[in-house]
Structures are given as C-alpha cells and as structure tokens.
Amino acid sequence: MDSIIITGATSGIGFECALRMARIARNEQIIIPARNIKTGKEVVEKIKDKTGHINLKCLELDLSSLQSIRQFSQTLSEENRLSISILINNAGIQNISKTQYTTDGFEQTFGVNHLGAFALTMQLLPFMKKDCHIIFTSSETHDPALKKPIAPPVYTSAQELAFPKETSEKQTIIGQRRYSTSKLCNIMMTYELQERLKKTNIRVNAYDPGMTPGTGLAKTYPPVMRFLWKNVFPALTLLKSNINTPAQAGRNLANLAYSEKYKDLKGIYFSDGKVVKTSVDSYNKEFQKDLWKGSLRLTKTTFNE
C-alpha cells in the first residue's frame, strides 16, 4: 500500500490537510508524525471517526532532532514494501522570543523549518515511488517585494543561519527575519532538489497557504497579538485574497498534493490558487547551491545523483 506522510498534522493547516487527504485518498495509508505520540494517536482516531478512513497511523518524530529523524526513517523502512507516494513537509515554527536551539545545536527556526524538512526528505528518498510528490510549505513572507508586515529574509549562508552571530537587534525583528528566511530556504530547496531529481519523475513543489490566522504560528507573540490572531484576524478571510482559514489552506494543500488537476506541476511555487513567481533571491543559483551543500553537511546526509 502506498503511504502519504504529512508533517505538522496534529493541528492547524496540517490537520486539515490530513483530514481532506483521508477523504480523497481512500486507498493509501496516511502517516502522521508527531513529537507527542499520545497527541498524534488522538488525532489519528479523530480523523478516522470523521472520515471512516482506517489506514492511518502515528509515528514519533521530532524535526528538531536529527537522531529522531533517522529513527523515524528506520522505523518506516521496516514496513513491508514501503512505498511513499506523497511527502508533505508542512511542519513549521516561528519564534520571536529568546533564541532557541535544536538538539543538534542549530538555531531552532532554521533547524526545524528547513534542516528538519531537508533531512527527512533525504532520509525518505530511497523509499519514494518513481512519481512521488514532495511539497514544502513555504510563505509569501519570503518575498520582500510583497511588503508583508514581517521582517524580510536575508540569506547569508547555511552555516551562518544554523549558527547565527549575536546581534543587538530587537528580538522580535530577529525572530521574524529567521522565519521569513527559513521560508525562502524552503523555496530555494524546492528548486534545487527538483533540479537534482530532473532525471526522475519525482515532483517537488512549494506551497504558500497565505496568511492563515487561527493557527499556532503566533504562540510566541505578545498576548494582544495572539488575541487578534485568534479572534479578530480570521474575519479578514472574508475581505481579502490569500487570507485563509486553516481548513481552507489545508484543503488547498491536499488538493495540490493529490488532485489530477495539478499532476503536471513540477518545480513550482503555488500561491493563492495559481503558480506564481517567487522572490529575486529565490532564483539565486549561488544561494541555492550553498544551501544544498551546507544542508548536506550540517545534517550529515548524502545524495546520490
């Protein structure tokens, strides 16, 4: 049986994506990785109850730990005839408070949003179907030209993003920039990985859920901002384009991943229901190559051309 893996599926966009996938992908197994296995199993049962899909399971995975990612891959590899048809790298964090680090010592936002997703993808490549679809959830905050109310990204090098230098800048700005930069990395990796896989039929795409108030992304923001994010901003979904509820964004992600309508999309960025161009920096070949080589080195993974 083919398997669909969706990270960040215990809540928010990821949960809604898994819910939608359980309704349309009736013949595939859906795997929900979770840091908290108890929470993950509760989510699996909830989706089963809502959809009647019986082939769901939860496996433990902490994207802030390379060892956990390796263990997750090892556990999966022990399945009989493992065949991954879709990998959705949706999990992500935004931290605007004090700098946090992963188990391996990487700055947390870059470590989880980019390196964790990268390492997981590399670990699972050997088990992917020849026409597997890989998706990285990104964000329109990656593009300074869109003038979003968040500090724009600054790509320096994979090494420096993993081990940033101390700065006197306001922590809020630092945290926002780390987030938008990690989302830029998701897009650059989409382009670079698709190029590396050009001799295969594997598809690699990036997805922008748009502004999605009500998710847990704002949990490190001040109380007033968290209140607005949860209780006021959702009303904007009725007034402006590319502002979605978690349910809308999750359904859109599932449809991009699975629908026949999008089966020919390859190496693109999908935003607000269409393929759009990304930021100037996202096409920078030197940035892409540095990110690729640095990510392989930092995660201690290899890639066979």
Side-chain angles (χ1 to χ4, degrees), residues 248-279:
Q248 290 169 331
R251 287 195 299 268
N252 291 341
L253 176 55
N255 290 337
L256 172 63
Y258 195 79
S259 174
E260 284 288 308
K261 180 180 179 180
Y262 303 121
K263 66 181 177 129
D264 295 325
L265 296 182
K266 194 173 187 178
I268 58 88
Y269 172 72
F270 197 79
S271 176
D272 201 19
K274 55 187 177 294
V275 177
V276 300
K277 287 190 174 182
T278 48
S279 70

Side-chain angles (χ1 to χ4, degrees), residues 6-284:
I6 309 167
T7 68
T10 56
S11 64
I13 297 169
F15 170 78
E16 298 293 346
C17 174
L19 192 63
R20 171 66 177 167
M21 199 68 82
R23 289 182 171 131
I24 61 178
R26 304 300 290 185
N27 297 319
E28 284 93 343
Q29 173 181 234
I30 298 174
I31 299 173
I32 296 179
R35 281 180 302 168
N36 186 314
I37 200 73
K38 181 176 181 293
T39 299
K41 288 181 177 179
E42 290 171 353
V43 167
V44 163
E45 292 305 314
K46 185 176 182 180
I47 294 175
K48 284 181 179 180
D49 289 343
K50 285 178 173 289
T51 66
H53 196 304
I54 60 172
N55 293 309
L56 288 100
K57 71 176 181 180
C58 173
L59 292 177
E60 187 173 358
L61 174 65
D62 181 354
L63 286 171
S64 69
S65 165
L66 295 178
Q67 176 56 36
S68 177
I69 293 169
R70 286 189 288 269
Q71 183 58 55
F72 177 84
S73 176
Q74 176 62 35
T75 301
L76 271 183
S77 71
E78 294 168 0
E79 286 200 359
N80 187 31
R81 295 191 297 275
L82 175 62
S83 174
I84 299 171
S85 58
I86 298 173
L87 170 61
I88 301 178
N89 290 299
N90 172 73
I93 61 169
Q94 183 177 169
N95 174 30
I96 64 164
S97 60
K98 183 180 177 181
T99 300
Q100 301 290 322
Y101 298 91
T102 69
T103 303
D104 303 280
F106 308 134
E107 187 281 313
Q108 188 184 54
T109 303
F110 180 72
V112 171
N113 294 3
H114 169 66
L115 289 177
F118 174 82
L120 179 64
T121 302
M122 292 298 104
Q123 290 281 335
L124 297 182
L125 270 177
F127 310 108
M128 292 182 182
K129 290 183 67 177
K130 63 180 182 180
D131 59 349
C132 181
H133 191 184
I134 303 169
I135 296 179
F136 293 93
T137 296
S138 183
S139 166
E140 59 188 358
T141 61
H142 86 277
D143 190 352
L146 297 178
K147 301 187 184 303
K148 295 299 171 180
I150 187 172
V154 176
Y155 187 82
T156 50
S157 70
Q159 180 72 18
E160 189 167 336
L161 292 174
F163 305 107
K165 300 174 182 175
E166 289 190 12
T167 173
S168 59
E169 277 190 293
K170 190 176 179 181
Q171 193 60 50
T172 302
I173 299 301
I174 296 171
Q176 290 178 354
R177 183 181 298 123
R178 286 172 176 167
Y179 176 76
S180 61
T181 303
S182 74
K183 297 290 106 178
L184 170 62
C185 290
N186 291 151
I187 295 173
M188 292 198 296
M189 187 51 60
T190 295
Y191 296 155
E192 183 66 18
L193 182 57
Q194 185 68 82
E195 176 64 21
R196 302 274 174 171
L197 295 171
K198 64 182 178 182
K199 294 181 181 178
T200 75
N201 289 321
I202 294 177
R203 297 187 294 137
V204 189
N205 292 312
Y207 170 69
D208 165 38
M211 182 180 175
T212 316
T215 64
L217 201 61
K219 63 184 178 182
T220 63
Y221 277 72
V224 171
M225 190 63 182
R226 292 201 303 271
F227 176 83
L228 293 173
W229 180 255
K230 184 178 181 180
N231 300 289
V232 178
F233 288 177
L236 296 176
T237 60
L238 303 174
L239 305 173
K240 303 184 74 173
S241 64
N242 210 29
I243 300 181
N244 299 304
T245 65
Q248 290 169 331
R251 287 195 299 268
N252 291 341
L253 176 55
N255 290 337
L256 172 63
Y258 195 79
S259 174
E260 284 288 308
K261 180 180 179 180
Y262 303 121
K263 66 181 177 129
D264 295 325
L265 296 182
K266 194 173 187 178
I268 58 88
Y269 172 72
F270 197 79
S271 176
D272 201 19
K274 55 187 177 294
V275 177
V276 300
K277 287 190 174 182
T278 48
S279 70
V280 172
D281 280 352
S282 70
Y283 298 108
N284 187 309

